Amino acid sequence: MAKAIEVVGLYKYYGEVKAVDGVSFTVEEGEIFGLVGPNGAGKTTTIECVEGLRRPDKGYIRVLGLDPQRDGYKLREKIGVQLQEASLPERMKVWEALDLFGSFYPHRLDSQKLLEQMGLVDKGTTPFEKLSGGQKQRLLIALALINDPELLFLDELTTGLDPHARRAMWDLVREIRNKGKTIFLTTHYMEEAERLCDRVAIMDHGRFLALDTPENLIRSLGAETRVVFNLDQALDENKLLQIDGVSRVEKSGEKVIVYGRSAKLVSHIVSFLEEERLRFSHLRLEQPCLEDVFLALTGREIRD
């Protein structure tokens, strides 16, 4: 598969701070590649170096076969960029923004079709300040797509959006990829990366801690499945530990967490509770996730 992005030994310093500390990676054509980590990890600096918005102190970068610094003009015709802190004049109407950004390129998509794709067809005459958070994000994506780019950069796409708007944005990203685009996104939402990305790089303190598919990253963790339930009666934890596949039990007040690796862990625990005539509630299964991987790699939780 052809490489849309190739980065080797990328460094970027701000004084004595290494914002990006020797990262190397590739992005294949047609994939959604995610760069995840907490704020301050170096994600935005990395993506801005790749886009050509920042000059790296050291490293080799090729985007669609072009050098972002030397071939910036040619590259900008082939990529679309949604910046983390992007905004527009408050009174600028949606159609005016599309018309302005479209005028920057020799080739542009039809604005009306873009509005339909983004679910903004009835917002063409609405000023930017009157749009909701989700509508503003969709407009910014439309502006990034106006030149029909081969490669789309999305930086912290859903920060500040409510859960409904966030999931609607995920659906939109999948639709864009299905049209043949390559997508490079940064996020500090682990669930977002797990749901959307073909491959994920976990970054912290300017370095890559891991890079693989979400499934492989989670599998490599070797983490246990958790069965969580509430119990308002006395529990003999030793009996639970005798269940096939159970490795340990934690109890805090009425909350019980049972750890294990058996494929039938839930059914075994439910059978035990019923046999012991224990009244349980709010039982749920918690599978290992990317946030567990991050915690294992860094020794701490995702920070905002």
Side-chain angles (χ1 to χ4, degrees):
M1 186 177 291
K3 294 179 176 63
I5 298 173
E6 185 176 7
V7 175
V8 180
L10 174 62
Y11 289 84
K12 180 63 183 178
Y13 304 90
Y14 296 114
E16 296 183 356
V17 176
K18 287 184 180 179
V20 184
D21 189 9
V23 302
S24 300
F25 63 96
T26 61
V27 177
E28 309 297 335
E29 288 186 356
E31 79 170 331
I32 300 179
F33 181 90
L35 182 54
V36 305
N39 290 334
K43 305 186 306 297
T44 294
T45 299
T46 298
I47 199 172
E48 288 180 349
C49 287
V50 173
E51 293 163 346
L53 298 178
R54 291 190 185 275
R55 184 180 295 275
D57 293 305
K58 191 189 302 182
Y60 173 90
I61 303 175
R62 290 295 180 271
V63 182
L64 302 175
L66 300 172
D67 182 328
Q69 294 298 321
R70 189 182 63 231
D71 306 313
Y73 182 78
K74 290 181 180 179
L75 183 60
R76 282 189 285 275
E77 292 184 1
K78 295 175 175 288
I79 66 173
V81 178
Q82 171 266 323
L83 297 174
Q84 182 178 353
E85 301 294 336
S87 188
L88 294 170
E90 292 183 351
R91 295 185 181 182
M92 178 174 281
K93 295 180 175 60
V94 169
W95 74 264
E96 291 175 330
L98 286 167
D99 192 54
L100 173 64
F101 276 67
S103 69
F104 299 155
Y105 303 100
H107 170 68
R108 58 173 291 178
L109 295 177
D110 181 84
S111 296
Q112 189 64 23
K113 289 183 178 179
L114 264 181
L115 289 177
E116 292 173 2
Q117 182 183 357
M118 298 296 141
L120 295 172
V121 70
D122 60 339
K123 299 294 181 180
T125 59
T126 302
F128 185 74
E129 65 177 339
K130 298 295 184 181
L131 298 176
S132 68
Q135 289 167 346
K136 287 178 179 178
Q137 289 290 59
R138 293 203 296 274
L139 174 57
L140 294 174
I141 294 176
L143 297 178
L145 290 172
I146 192 69
N147 60 321
D148 194 21
E150 298 175 38
L151 172 61
L152 182 63
F153 291 93
L154 304 174
D155 191 10
E156 299 290 359
L157 174 66
T158 62
T159 296
L161 299 185
D162 61 56
H164 177 77
R166 181 173 294 129
R167 280 161 177 75
M169 200 64 64
W170 294 351
D171 291 338
L172 178 58
V173 171
R174 293 187 188 99
E175 289 177 14
I176 293 170
R177 195 272 291 275
N178 291 340
K179 294 181 181 296
K181 309 296 184 185
T182 303
I183 299 175
F184 185 137
L185 68 85
T186 69
T187 181
H188 64 276
Y189 293 118
M190 294 294 121
E191 183 187 7
E192 183 163 286
E194 191 171 338
R195 295 283 190 92
L196 287 179
C197 297
D198 299 297
R199 289 188 303 137
V200 174
I202 296 178
M203 188 176 196
D204 199 17
H205 297 301
R207 297 181 177 181
F208 281 9
L209 307 180
L211 197 169
D212 209 328
T213 65
E215 295 80 6
N216 286 343
L217 288 172
I218 294 169
R219 190 179 301 115
S220 69
L221 181 63
E224 297 169 311
T225 296
R226 301 178 292 270
V227 179
V228 184
F229 57 91
N230 287 359
L231 193 65
D232 60 2
Q233 298 171 260
L235 173 69
D236 187 342
E237 296 180 18
N238 289 325
K239 287 186 177 181
L240 266 177
L241 287 169
Q242 294 173 13
I243 296 174
D244 182 40
V246 173
S247 60
R248 60 192 173 101
V249 178
E250 293 180 0
K251 194 173 189 300
S252 176
E254 295 185 353
K255 184 178 181 180
V256 180
I257 306 175
V258 183
Y259 295 82
R261 288 194 172 89
S262 170
K264 296 183 178 180
L265 188 64
V266 175
S267 60
H268 287 165
I269 291 173
V270 171
S271 296
F272 165 80
L273 294 172
E274 291 177 342
E275 289 171 4
E276 295 291 315
R277 297 185 178 181
L278 296 172
R279 297 185 302 273
F280 63 92
S281 62
H282 302 100
L283 186 143
R284 65 186 184 276
L285 176 68
E286 295 182 352
Q287 298 282 8
C289 62
L290 269 183
E291 191 158 349
D292 294 317
V293 176
F294 189 94
L295 180 58
L297 290 172
T298 65
R300 55 188 169 80
E301 295 179 352
I302 291 295
R303 65 178 186 270
D304 289 329

